[in-house]
């Protein structure tokens, strides 16, 4: 069993437009945009990162906004819900704040109050009241007593949760209980983003599009720990990529048994490697291999008004 995994690192999803995506996550949800860069493989597409003040692992929601992308078809074999932790007693504030912008639904799971709502591309998002001592970013009229602390969990809808449950146990997660079709796994002594829910689903296979989660990333401290995880996963028969430099963290990728793309990402070097912390997310930052395209990309990328 692995001991290097610390919890979630980030969740990366697809969107249909940069401006509406940025407005929703910064102005409505009150997160900080900590990086404005481009997709390594498609530099004509933004890669936008939202999180706490410095983009601490376990807080960062990221998006590839493909202009005019068709929307996802929900189903099995995907991350079906991304959940954020908020303070206890704050859901009435959020329900009022989201009113008129997106449908929302109050519910409860494992004794926790939850508010489920849609993102700009009908992304399936949830706020969960929990005891969470992580320091939030406060902005856009969201005070510290209501602000998002980071991720609470991801939920994966799977036709057979068994093999992914076995993988999570290997990664260091512990089974915490079952409620209905959902089985919860928790990372003991994790980074705060400690929960993964597996939902047994009879739905047809999901169709990826705007609003889909592209991949979910799990956190490790550094490249040495990442290398240990890579070797351990390979010894279990998983096909794992080499360690890839993503400028703000190093990444490895592999496909989980349920079909969801998993990443393991480092906490180093961080989002302040090329910007002062006070100015994170303000300038368009380009990977070195795309730096020569700056003039063309700045003219072609959708303007984002903050």
């Amino acid at each position: 069993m692995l001991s290097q995994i610390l919890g979630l690192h980030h969740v990366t999803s697809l969107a249909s437009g940069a401006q509406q995506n940025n407005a929703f996550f910064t102005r409505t949800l009150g997160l900080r945009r900590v990086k404005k860069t481009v997709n390594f493989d498609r530099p004509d597409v933004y890669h936008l990162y939202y999180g706490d003040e410095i983009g601490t692992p376990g807080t960062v929601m990221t998006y590839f906004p493909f202009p005019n992308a068709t929307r996802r078809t929900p189903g099995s074999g995907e991350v079906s819900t991304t959940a954020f932790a908020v303070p206890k007693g704050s859901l009435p504030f959020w329900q009022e704040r989201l009113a008129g912008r997106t449908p929302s639904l109050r519910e409860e799971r494992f004794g926790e109050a939850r508010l489920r709502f849609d993102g700009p591309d009908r992304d399936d998002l949830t706020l969960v009241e929990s005891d969470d001592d992580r320091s939030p970013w406060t902005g856009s009229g969201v005070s510290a007593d209501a602000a998002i602390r980071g991720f609470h969990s991801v939920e994966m809808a799977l036709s057979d949760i068994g093999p992914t449950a076995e993988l999570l146990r290997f990664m260091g997660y512990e089974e915490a209980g079952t409620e209905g079709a959902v089985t919860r796994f928790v990372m003991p002594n994790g980074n705060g983003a400690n929960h993964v829910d597996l939902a047994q689903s009879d739905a047809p296979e999901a169709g990826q599009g705007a609003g889909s989660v592209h991949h979910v990333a799990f956190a490790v401290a550094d490249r040495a720990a990442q290398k240990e995880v890579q070797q351990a996963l390979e010894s279990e028969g998983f096909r794992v990529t080499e360690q890839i430099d993503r400028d703000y963290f190093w990444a490895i990728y592999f496909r989980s048994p349920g079909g969801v793309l998993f990443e393991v990402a480092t906490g180093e070097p961080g989002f302040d490697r090329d910007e002062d912390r006070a100015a994170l997310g303000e300038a368009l930052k380009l990977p070195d291999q795309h730096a020569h395209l700056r003039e063309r990309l700045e003219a072609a990328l959708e303007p984002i008004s903050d």
Side-chain angles (χ1 to χ4, degrees), residues 9-10 49 244-251 263 265-266 268-269:
H9 186 286
H10 66 268
Y49 294 77
I244 302 171
D245 183 0
R246 294 304 194 195
D247 281 355
Y248 311 108
F249 48 87
W250 287 77
E263 176 182 345
T266 65
E268 57 179 15

Side-chain angles (χ1 to χ4, degrees), residues 146-192:
I148 290 171
R149 267 47 184 172
F151 293 120
H152 173 274
S153 57
V154 292
E155 174 190 293
M156 303 180 203
L158 306 174
S159 59
D160 180 4
I161 70 169
T164 301
E166 184 177 347
L167 170 61
L168 290 175
R169 292 186 190 98
F170 179 72
M171 292 170 63
Y173 283 85
E174 296 180 355
E175 187 172 337
T178 297
E179 188 172 298
V182 178
T183 300
R184 170 158 292 178
F185 291 83
V186 178
M187 177 59 65
N189 304 311
N191 62 5

Side-chain angles (χ1 to χ4, degrees), residues 127-261:
L127 299 174
V128 183
E129 288 190 349
S130 61
D131 292 318
D132 193 318
D133 61 3
R134 289 177 289 175
S135 297
W137 173 255
T138 55
S140 299
V142 182
S143 62
D145 59 0
I148 290 171
R149 267 47 184 172
F151 293 120
H152 173 274
S153 57
V154 292
E155 174 190 293
M156 303 180 203
L158 306 174
S159 59
D160 180 4
I161 70 169
T164 301
E166 184 177 347
L167 170 61
L168 290 175
R169 292 186 190 98
F170 179 72
M171 292 170 63
Y173 283 85
E174 296 180 355
E175 187 172 337
T178 297
E179 188 172 298
V182 178
T183 300
R184 170 158 292 178
F185 291 83
V186 178
M187 177 59 65
N189 304 311
N191 62 5
N194 298 331
H195 302 82
V196 175
D197 290 345
L198 302 184
Q200 189 73 39
S201 173
D202 296 327
E205 185 176 345
Q208 195 167 85
S212 292
V213 170
H214 183 269
H215 63 267
V216 57
F218 298 86
V220 293
D222 52 34
R223 291 182 68 192
Q226 186 183 64
K227 188 67 176 178
E228 293 170 353
V229 171
Q230 178 196 50
Q231 292 172 341
L233 288 167
E234 288 176 341
S235 72
E236 293 295 310
F238 292 96
R239 298 178 60 182
V240 188
T241 68
E242 63 184 8
Q243 291 175 294
I244 302 171
D245 183 0
R246 294 304 194 195
D247 281 355
Y248 311 108
F249 48 87
W250 287 77
I252 59 174
Y253 302 88
F254 66 102
R255 188 69 62 176
S256 69
V260 177
L261 183 61

Side-chain angles (χ1 to χ4, degrees), residues 72-86:
R72 68 187 269 251
T73 302
S76 64
E78 67 169 354
V79 174
S80 49
T81 304
T82 303
F84 301 91
V86 295

Side-chain angles (χ1 to χ4, degrees), residues 34-51:
V34 295
K35 194 62 58 181
K36 181 170 66 171
T37 183
V38 296
N39 187 311
F40 272 76
D41 302 316
R42 286 281 307 272
D44 57 330
V45 174
Y46 279 117
H47 195 175
L48 304 175
Y49 294 77
Y50 313 102

